[in-house]
Amino acid sequence: MEMIATLSQPVRGREGRSDVISDRNARIVFVDDEPSILDLLRRMVRVSRADWDIESFSDSKQAWEFLRGGLADVIVTDVSMPGLCGPDLLRLLRENEPTRDTPVIVLTGLSERSLKREVLDLGATDLLSKPVDASDLLARLRSALRLKQCQDELKLQNETLERKIVERTRRLRASRVEIIWRLACAAEIHDEETGCHVLRVAHSCRIVAEALHQPREFVEMLFLSAPLHDLGKIGIPDSILHKPGRLTDEEREIVRTHCQIGERILSARVPSLGIGEFSRRDFDIEFAAEEDPMLAMAREIAGAHHERWDGGGYPRGLAGENIPLAARITAVADVYDALTSERGYKGALPAAEALEWIRREAGKQFDPTICAAFIRSWDAIEEIRTQLANSRQSLRSGS
């Protein structure tokens, strides 16, 4: 009895959940179309009735309706039955998620060799020949219950591991987003007059990308990458960046280098014998062999958001669809927000005038398709602009 008690303790709950281990008795289900056989099987396992709950069915279809919910720990079924024969029942059990792994012992006669092969191919756990020996039946049931217990514990461990992986992935993703926004914050601190510019540009890009029916993944990456469009301004001298009046031609050329500076920052890789090697040796950290797609998009935006649709932009003079889509979207959002924002060297245009300016530049400075999506989305963009009005309250202050 000691072994039987041990086998009957940790089994899955009645609802088929593996995140909660129940102390209920193991449930054995017998299926045979002959009531006399069912009575015999019940008497054979009488010694374990204190630890096992026994259910029996002479109608295999009724048995299936009971079993489909995953309420059994071990199933013992005859192979030849009217309605659902043993192979049919086994096939249903293996195709059904709650019963896919439930141990099934199949009772077979000596002359049913072909059926034995069939049920084994269908996933039977064990075969038991008729006439059934009581000690043999008990041994097979104990073995099947051990298997079920191991399966349940393994599933519980896997589900726990999956939850940990999901949580770790969530935290890593949150950390990545945090780093991206802090980089954007660094550029904003260097250029104090931009206020919530990067936030408004990010939201405008998201709205336009959704209006263009871009995939969700693209929209999300654009929303997180667009704030880094002016990251390169970190490398521009304060004397030029904060100059109250108009810039000279030479100063304007220096400001234009922020595209290449931002691109270089976002292209930097971990040195093979530098940080990466140290981390792998001491902290078991692996750096990705392939570039992160979000950083790749941010690099494209930083390097190309001042290119023009007609080819007259900088730094490379790209034209049309040779300009990355993310950069084309960011270009419109960036210019519109700059037009409607007050800077030390200019006043803010009324929103309607700025929108008309965007409309006039369709096919010249901007992709006409993106301009059309921007115009369609103008109300939503203005709502965001109102909520994130340009002020000293920005990423610096944590708002």
Side-chain angles (χ1 to χ4, degrees):
M1 287 296 292
E2 182 180 351
M3 178 181 289
I4 297 173
T6 302
L7 296 175
S8 66
Q9 288 173 357
V11 293
R12 294 180 72 170
R14 289 177 180 267
E15 295 80 8
R17 295 172 52 195
S18 59
D19 57 337
V20 177
I21 296 295
S22 170
D23 290 330
R24 69 165 174 80
N25 287 349
R27 180 176 286 107
I28 312 296
V29 176
F30 294 125
V31 185
D32 197 298
D33 60 308
E34 296 185 32
S36 59
I37 298 295
L38 291 176
D39 183 60
L40 176 63
L41 294 173
R42 285 192 295 266
R43 283 188 281 112
M44 286 181 175
V45 297
R46 185 176 299 162
V47 66
S48 299
R49 288 303 296 268
D51 304 295
W52 299 348
D53 293 335
I54 307 299
E55 301 281 351
S56 57
F57 294 88
S58 58
D59 186 319
S60 56
K61 290 184 178 179
Q62 289 182 0
W64 163 242
E65 290 303 317
F66 175 83
L67 292 168
R68 65 192 308 169
L71 300 179
D73 295 299
V74 178
I75 301 166
V76 180
T77 179
D78 190 18
V79 71
S80 299
M81 298 180 292
L84 287 175
C85 65
D88 290 339
L89 179 59
L90 186 55
R91 188 178 291 107
L92 290 172
L93 291 169
R94 292 299 178 246
E95 292 173 353
N96 181 47
E97 180 61 31
T99 58
R100 181 164 295 151
D101 299 319
T102 303
V104 180
I105 300 172
V106 178
L107 304 178
T108 63
L110 295 175
S111 61
E112 297 171 317
R113 289 187 177 181
S114 61
L115 284 175
K116 289 180 180 180
R117 287 194 297 269
E118 182 179 358
V119 295
L120 287 173
D121 289 340
L122 288 171
T125 308
D126 204 349
L127 298 177
L128 193 57
S129 298
K130 293 181 179 179
V132 178
D133 178 77
S135 58
D136 198 8
L137 175 62
L138 287 171
R140 304 295 178 91
L141 287 173
R142 290 166 185 160
S143 176
L145 283 171
R146 278 195 294 270
L147 174 62
K148 182 65 164 55
Q149 179 177 332
C150 290
Q151 289 174 341
D152 288 344
E153 290 175 351
L154 180 60
K155 285 179 182 178
L156 178 58
Q157 291 173 4
N158 288 339
E159 289 174 6
T160 301
L161 180 60
E162 286 175 7
R163 284 195 295 271
K164 288 181 178 178
I165 291 172
V166 169
E167 176 61 18
R168 184 181 180 189
T169 301
R170 186 194 66 77
R171 290 182 180 179
L172 287 173
R173 184 179 180 278
S175 296
R176 181 173 65 166
V177 172
E178 182 82 8
I179 290 169
I180 287 171
W181 282 103
R182 287 181 186 274
L183 279 172
C185 179
E188 182 190 307
I189 289 172
H190 192 56
D191 188 4
E192 293 184 354
E193 289 188 329
T194 58
C196 290
H197 170 70
V198 293
L199 288 170
R200 293 194 298 271
V201 169
H203 280 286
S204 297
C205 287
R206 172 185 58 80
I207 292 168
V208 173
E210 288 173 344
L212 291 168
H213 306 293
Q214 290 299 307
R216 179 183 179 87
E217 183 180 7
F218 177 91
V219 174
E220 182 176 337
M221 283 202 300
L222 178 60
F223 177 70
L224 295 173
S225 301
L228 299 177
H229 66 282
D230 277 341
L231 177 62
K233 286 186 177 180
I234 291 174
I236 306 301
D238 286 350
S239 59
I240 296 176
L241 205 59
H242 299 156
K243 184 176 179 180
R246 289 190 174 276
L247 301 178
T248 65
D249 290 344
E250 183 180 356
E251 289 169 336
R252 192 173 295 107
E253 287 304 314
I254 292 173
V255 170
R256 287 185 170 190
T257 63
H258 80 275
C259 295
Q260 294 102 315
I261 294 171
E263 193 174 41
R264 283 202 303 273
I265 292 172
L266 294 166
S267 298
R269 304 303 300 274
V270 177
S272 59
L273 294 177
I275 296 173
E277 187 65 29
F278 174 77
S279 299
R280 279 191 290 270
R281 184 179 69 247
D282 295 329
F283 298 105
D284 195 27
I285 296 174
E286 288 292 337
F287 287 84
E290 298 180 359
E291 185 176 24
D292 182 278
M294 190 179 299
L295 288 178
M297 179 181 284
R299 187 188 69 246
E300 290 179 346
I301 292 171
H305 70 286
H306 282 293
E307 301 287 1
R308 290 175 55 102
W309 182 256
D310 60 13
Y314 65 89
R316 295 183 177 85
L318 301 177
E321 293 186 358
N322 288 326
I323 306 169
L325 175 60
R328 281 181 269 150
I329 295 173
T330 305
V332 180
D334 181 33
V335 169
Y336 179 81
D337 193 76
L339 289 172
T340 53
S341 300
E342 186 175 350
R343 301 288 169 84
Y345 56 88
K346 74 170 191 67
L349 274 183
E353 290 184 29
L355 183 66
E356 184 58 32
W357 196 93
I358 296 293
R359 194 191 309 271
R360 288 198 305 269
E361 288 299 311
K364 301 174 186 177
Q365 182 170 351
F366 305 122
D367 180 340
T369 302
I370 292 173
C371 284
F374 188 94
I375 292 167
R376 291 196 307 272
S377 309
W378 187 52
D379 288 342
I381 290 167
E382 275 300 289
E383 183 179 350
I384 288 292
R385 198 169 70 89
T386 300
Q387 293 173 6
L388 297 171
N390 198 3
S391 70
R392 300 286 175 170
Q393 229 183 0
S394 64
L395 288 172
R396 264 191 328 281
S397 58
S399 61

